[in-house]
């Protein structure tokens, strides 16, 4: 018989702020990968997929906007990470969106 490691927690026992924060970090990591930021040269990254990055960044913006009041001290760093990804998306795009039209900006407002 195998025992589960002590690090396994019942989802019901995890505070909502931790679940939301973990989801935000996962979305941020995914967006960074899809922007090619994990590679030495993002411009030649085989993982770069701006269409997918737009979707993930928009989902992250929706999550952050909907849950910001519950995030407490986590809100600032998560918002900063989101804005950094939005700027990176704009910088990466061959034809950048107008301010307010980029990924997630309908939720966060324009990012410059």
């Amino acid at each position: 018989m195998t025992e589960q490691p002590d690090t396994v927690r019942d989802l019901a026992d995890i505070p909502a702020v931790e679940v939301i924060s973990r989801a935000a970090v996962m979305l941020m990591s995914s967006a960074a990968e899809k922007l090619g930021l994990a590679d030495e040269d993002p411009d030649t990254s085989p993982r770069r997929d701006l269409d997918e990055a737009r979707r993930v960044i928009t989902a992250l913006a929706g999550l952050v906007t909907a849950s910001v009041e519950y995030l407490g001290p986590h809100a600032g760093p998560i918002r900063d990470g989101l804005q950094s990804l939005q700027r990176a998306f704009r910088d990466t795009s061959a034809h950048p969106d107008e301010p307010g039209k980029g990924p997630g900006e309908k939720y966060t407002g324009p990012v410059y």
Side-chain angles (χ1 to χ4, degrees), residues 27-68:
L27 290 168
M28 282 191 267
S29 297
S30 175
E33 289 279 346
K34 292 177 185 313
L35 289 170
L37 299 177
D39 292 322
E40 192 171 312
D41 182 7
D43 291 331
T44 61
S45 173
R47 290 186 274 267
R48 180 178 277 178
D49 185 336
L50 296 183
D51 186 48
E52 287 286 305
R54 178 183 295 277
R55 294 173 189 190
V56 176
I57 293 169
T58 300
L60 173 62
L63 174 65
V64 171
T65 301
S67 61
V68 71

Side-chain angles (χ1 to χ4, degrees), residues 13 19 21 29 32 41 80 106:
D13 295 333
V19 173
S21 296
S29 297
D41 182 7
D80 291 346
K106 72 179 181 181

Side-chain angles (χ1 to χ4, degrees), residues 1-2 15-16 24 38 50 52 56 64 72 83-85 88 92 94 98:
M1 185 170 13
T2 60
L50 296 183
E52 287 286 305
V56 176
V64 171
Q83 288 179 353
S84 293
L85 290 165
T92 300
E98 298 174 31

Side-chain angles (χ1 to χ4, degrees), residues 8-19:
V8 175
R9 294 169 41 189
D10 189 351
L11 193 55
D13 295 333
I14 301 172
V17 67
E18 189 174 335
V19 173

